[in-house]
Amino acid sequence: MKLLLTLSFMGLSVFVGAQTVEQIKAQRETYIWGEGTGATLSKADQDALLQIITQVSAQVESRFTLLKDEVISAGKANFTEEARLIMNTYSNATLTNTERIVLSNEPNARVFRYIRRSELSRIFEQRKRKIMDFTAMADEFTRQGQIADALKYYYWALTLLRSHPDGAYIQKPYGTDSVLLVSYIPQRMNEIFNGLRYVVGKVTDEPNYRMVTLYVTCNGKPVVNLEYSYWDGRDWSQPVMAKDGVGYLEFFGPTASQRYDTQIKVEYICEAEARIDRELEDVMHRLEHIPYKNSYTTLKLENNTPTAELAATMPSTTTTSTLPINRVADIKPYSTKVNQVIAAVLAKQTEQVRSLFTPEGFDTYNRLLAYGNARPVQNADIVAVRLNGEVICRGPKMSFSFANSTRRFVEDVVFHFDSLGKISAIAFGLSNQALESIVNNSSWSEPEKFTIINFLEHYKTAYALKRLNYISSIFSDDALIIVGSMVKPSPKTDNPFANNPIVRYNRYSKEQYIKNLRHAFASNEFINIQFEESNLLKASNGSQFGIQIKQNYFSSNYADQGYLFLLVDVTQPDTPIIHVRTWQPEKNPDGSIYGLEDF
């Protein structure tokens, strides 16, 4: 029901339904209220909310048992102040159920906010839902072997749990029973830490430099991803993202080859990524981080692992090697050239391998060298297949680090040879998880699967290497491009969606989308896209297919996770054209995302 507001500016009198503001103020046993002033409505509104927060904090202070234990353990004396600071993290994100009345407009704004004491529990309900959602996501990531994501979301859930007044009592279903999250989350995190195993592979020593290939498993299976740092003798390294069970360690300086051991520290806090959630970021800044002893491992830097155990630890070369499609029996002519390129990458040389490339391929090679500090990690078991007149070689892995970022990535590198044996393109390969979701799709033929794999690998590589002309060429001129983003609804008292998350979808023309990309490329040191599970859809005309795929996007100043849908025309397999591209931050309430039936 809309509120009936009557204002008389000759001695202000505001009626809210049948009650005046003055009557609400008088009923302190029923309402908590605040009246803020400021030059802008936003400033006055925040002032009013802060007054409510201070009163709510006093009322619920005794319920913050987890926080109180932390404050006592840290030797802090003023628990009341700590509780008030934590309550301040609710003002921006979860006080949408407080009613707002504008008493006077800018430049002398006055805002009145109030809430029934009986509805205080609603203030904390949204945070509880986020805690439960983060925990459920972490459970699923654990099952999929995405250890970096699992640990991150477990820790984020635990952080928000510590900021909830009833955090010590929140439970989740567990089998036929239930379990307290305050016990469940640390237990799951420690199980992951204890299940991790690091095996040293190839050790490469050069003057003032050592590269150690690392194979990482969790409970006997190669991790899909894992973020870790290592002790380089003076400090902890920048975080490294292991991919498909393969990571690396790098040591520099005159004593690099004399490093006989190191410590590995698993990253799980991920403060930079937490910036995409203002509520989470606020809480993380208020609370001390929790150190986990089990996240540390001492590692001997010697490749003395028995051959059989090492072979069992190493991830399989690539899922696509199981496909029967046109395998190349004699790969030596191609592997020789790949090895020459790998050596040139290590030496940061270009001209000595120019003859191996087509002009376009050589341009891609130079862009690869410019993409971070490229270093070969692994160059074993090259697999080559023939497709559409090309020979495609898979197998090598490279690491990439960036001068002004804490991000490091490991990427599979895929080489494309034309009919003359020249390298016509270099691409970043899909993860094994993304490959499996395509390869195991029984409704597609082997050539169709490889066409889709090639398309997605060139697509993700074009964004990483900032190939704007290529991206423009694969979008049709009338492409439908929709990008979704989460928005905060208006807190007006008559807004029926005040408590609901809302996704705003923006439609762009190809011209506007490319313009936005040009700005993103110019303002970011790097962009990296990782794909996870996918779903393939075939259009009725047979020449178009739809790809629904989960995408992790990282750049030097932004990161997000969402779901991508692409409608692609493959009438000419060598020159696919995108007619529809949509992105949404989360699935629809029924679990679906955009698909063929929507266009």
Side-chain angles (χ1 to χ4, degrees):
M1 177 182 295
K2 292 185 177 181
L3 299 176
L4 175 63
L5 305 182
T6 302
L7 289 80
S8 172
F9 291 96
M10 300 294 294
L12 183 67
S13 178
V14 179
F15 294 90
V16 186
Q19 298 187 84
T20 66
V21 168
E22 287 74 15
Q23 288 172 331
I24 291 175
K25 289 181 177 181
Q27 299 179 63
R28 289 193 171 273
E29 72 286 354
T30 304
Y31 296 101
I32 295 176
W33 57 268
E35 185 175 335
T37 60
T40 65
L41 282 173
S42 176
K43 180 65 177 176
D45 193 41
Q46 288 300 311
D47 187 22
L49 286 173
L50 184 59
Q51 294 176 35
I52 291 179
I53 282 291
T54 301
Q55 297 173 69
V56 173
S57 178
Q59 183 160 328
V60 302
E61 176 184 321
S62 62
R63 291 162 51 187
F64 278 101
T65 54
L66 290 181
L67 182 65
K68 188 171 186 177
D69 290 343
E70 289 187 26
V71 170
I72 293 173
S73 298
K76 297 179 181 179
N78 195 344
F79 170 65
T80 297
E81 176 62 14
E82 294 294 325
R84 188 188 67 79
L85 291 174
I86 285 295
M87 277 302 306
N88 283 344
T89 66
Y90 287 84
S91 60
N92 291 323
T94 52
L95 283 178
T96 55
N97 62 317
T98 57
E99 306 287 359
R100 185 176 99 155
I101 303 169
V102 176
L103 299 178
S104 62
N105 265 309
E106 301 169 349
N108 299 307
R110 289 174 60 204
V111 172
F112 184 76
R113 284 271 195 173
Y114 68 99
I115 184 174
R116 288 182 177 271
R117 293 181 182 272
S118 60
E119 295 183 357
L120 286 183
S121 61
R122 292 177 56 194
I123 293 179
F124 308 106
E125 197 57 38
Q126 181 179 333
R127 185 160 296 183
K128 180 180 177 180
R129 287 197 300 270
K130 186 172 291 189
I131 292 167
M132 302 301 289
D133 288 345
F134 280 180
T135 305
M137 292 169 67
D139 287 341
E140 182 59 28
F141 285 135
T142 302
R143 285 190 286 271
Q144 295 177 2
Q146 295 173 237
I147 303 307
D149 299 309
L151 288 172
K152 174 175 64 181
Y153 278 98
Y154 275 136
Y155 186 76
W156 288 356
L158 183 61
T159 299
L160 295 179
L161 189 73
R162 293 157 61 201
S163 73
H164 196 288
D166 301 321
Y169 310 104
I170 295 177
Q171 301 180 353
K172 76 177 291 289
Y174 191 67
T176 58
D177 203 352
S178 59
V179 61
L180 291 171
L181 288 184
V182 69
S183 302
Y184 175 81
I185 294 175
Q187 178 184 338
R188 294 308 302 268
M189 292 181 68
N190 279 313
E191 286 174 356
I192 291 174
F193 294 139
N194 294 335
L196 289 170
R197 175 163 168 73
Y198 309 91
V199 175
V200 172
K202 183 180 180 181
V203 179
T204 303
D205 284 318
E206 298 176 10
N208 299 320
Y209 177 73
R210 167 174 279 190
M211 162 74 81
V212 179
T213 302
L214 201 62
Y215 299 112
V216 190
T217 61
C218 186
N219 298 322
K221 296 181 180 179
V223 298
V224 173
N225 59 27
L226 178 75
E227 197 164 7
Y228 62 91
S229 300
Y230 57 92
W231 183 254
D232 65 8
R234 295 176 300 175
D235 198 357
W236 290 99
S237 73
Q238 295 176 333
V240 179
M241 179 67 79
K243 177 187 176 186
D244 292 332
V246 179
Y248 68 93
L249 313 172
E250 284 183 307
F251 301 94
F252 299 89
T255 62
S257 61
Q258 299 172 24
R259 293 291 307 173
Y260 302 112
D261 58 28
T262 188
Q263 268 196 312
I264 291 178
K265 176 177 65 174
V266 180
E267 298 291 328
Y268 54 87
I269 297 174
C270 305
E271 282 188 276
E273 292 178 53
R275 293 172 188 163
I276 64 176
D277 187 312
R278 176 65 182 275
E279 178 184 3
L280 174 64
E281 183 184 25
D282 286 349
V283 176
M284 291 187 79
H285 285 166
R286 296 292 186 193
L287 294 175
E288 295 287 339
H289 294 314
I290 299 176
Y292 279 87
K293 181 180 179 181
N294 291 343
S295 67
Y296 292 81
T297 300
T298 299
L299 183 70
K300 298 291 183 182
L301 298 179
E302 300 173 305
N303 187 1
N304 57 5
T305 307
T307 303
E309 183 180 348
L310 181 60
T313 305
M314 293 173 60
S316 58
T317 305
T318 172
T319 303
T320 56
S321 65
T322 62
L323 286 174
I325 179 175
N326 294 329
R327 291 285 296 277
V328 176
D330 182 12
I331 66 169
K332 188 173 182 180
Y334 305 101
S335 62
T336 299
K337 294 175 181 178
V338 168
N339 290 332
Q340 286 179 267
V341 174
I342 295 296
V345 169
L346 188 59
K348 303 297 183 187
Q349 295 177 344
T350 56
E351 289 304 315
Q352 72 177 36
V353 293
R354 179 189 284 269
S355 62
L356 301 179
F357 291 88
T358 66
E360 184 177 4
F362 192 63
D363 175 69
T364 306
Y365 170 71
N366 283 318
R367 289 175 181 269
L368 181 79
L369 288 181
Y371 183 70
N373 181 30
R375 290 275 187 176
V377 174
Q378 176 184 317
N379 189 26
D381 300 328
I382 292 176
V383 174
V385 299
R386 295 185 188 276
L387 180 70
N388 299 328
E390 284 189 327
V391 171
I392 304 168
C393 292
R394 314 178 70 90
K397 293 180 183 288
M398 292 186 192
S399 70
F400 298 90
S401 58
F402 308 91
N404 301 310
S405 174
T406 61
R407 281 274 176 195
R408 294 186 181 190
F409 299 97
V410 173
E411 289 283 2
D412 295 271
V413 182
V414 182
F415 292 82
H416 291 249
F417 291 84
D418 67 10
S419 58
L420 299 177
K422 298 274 190 178
I423 301 172
S424 58
I426 300 176
F428 290 159
L430 299 181
S431 68
N432 280 345
Q433 184 182 36
L435 287 170
E436 285 174 2
S437 67
I438 298 172
V439 171
N440 295 334
N441 191 314
S442 59
S443 62
W444 294 77
S445 68
E446 274 72 20
E448 288 174 324
K449 292 174 184 177
F450 258 99
T451 296
I452 295 169
I453 290 169
N454 281 344
F455 168 76
L456 286 174
E457 290 181 338
H458 283 301
Y459 180 91
K460 66 168 282 187
T461 307
Y463 282 80
L465 303 187
K466 302 179 180 180
R467 297 184 63 198
L468 198 63
N469 288 339
Y470 172 81
I471 295 172
S472 179
S473 73
I474 62 174
F475 277 91
S476 67
D477 290 338
D478 60 350
L480 174 61
I481 302 171
I482 298 175
V483 176
S485 59
M486 299 298 293
V487 296
K488 182 179 178 180
S490 168
K492 293 179 181 178
T493 56
D494 60 348
N495 182 3
F497 306 107
N499 296 315
N500 299 335
I502 293 176
V503 181
R504 174 179 292 160
Y505 292 99
N506 295 314
R507 176 174 176 172
Y508 297 110
S509 66
K510 174 182 174 178
E511 180 182 9
Q512 183 61 49
Y513 180 69
I514 296 299
K515 180 180 179 181
N516 292 347
L517 272 185
R518 182 178 287 109
H519 174 74
F521 288 169
S523 60
N524 281 281
E525 182 182 15
F526 73 89
I527 290 174
N528 188 273
I529 293 175
Q530 301 290 337
F531 291 132
E532 296 177 18
E533 77 275 6
S534 67
N535 182 37
L536 307 179
L537 310 165
K538 186 177 292 187
S540 57
N541 60 16
S543 64
Q544 294 181 341
F545 63 83
I547 303 172
Q548 296 172 317
I549 196 162
K550 189 174 183 181
Q551 173 184 278
N552 296 306
Y553 177 98
F554 303 95
S555 70
S556 51
N557 59 25
Y558 179 72
D560 66 34
Q561 188 176 75
Y563 296 88
L564 188 70
F565 171 71
L566 299 171
L567 177 59
V568 186
D569 190 319
V570 288
T571 303
Q572 301 294 328
D574 292 338
T575 55
I577 297 295
I578 300 173
H579 290 289
V580 177
R581 178 199 184 273
T582 71
W583 183 89
Q584 57 193 104
E586 57 187 25
K587 292 183 178 180
N588 300 322
D590 62 357
S592 66
I593 65 173
Y594 277 124
L596 291 176
E597 67 280 0
D598 296 305
F599 304 98

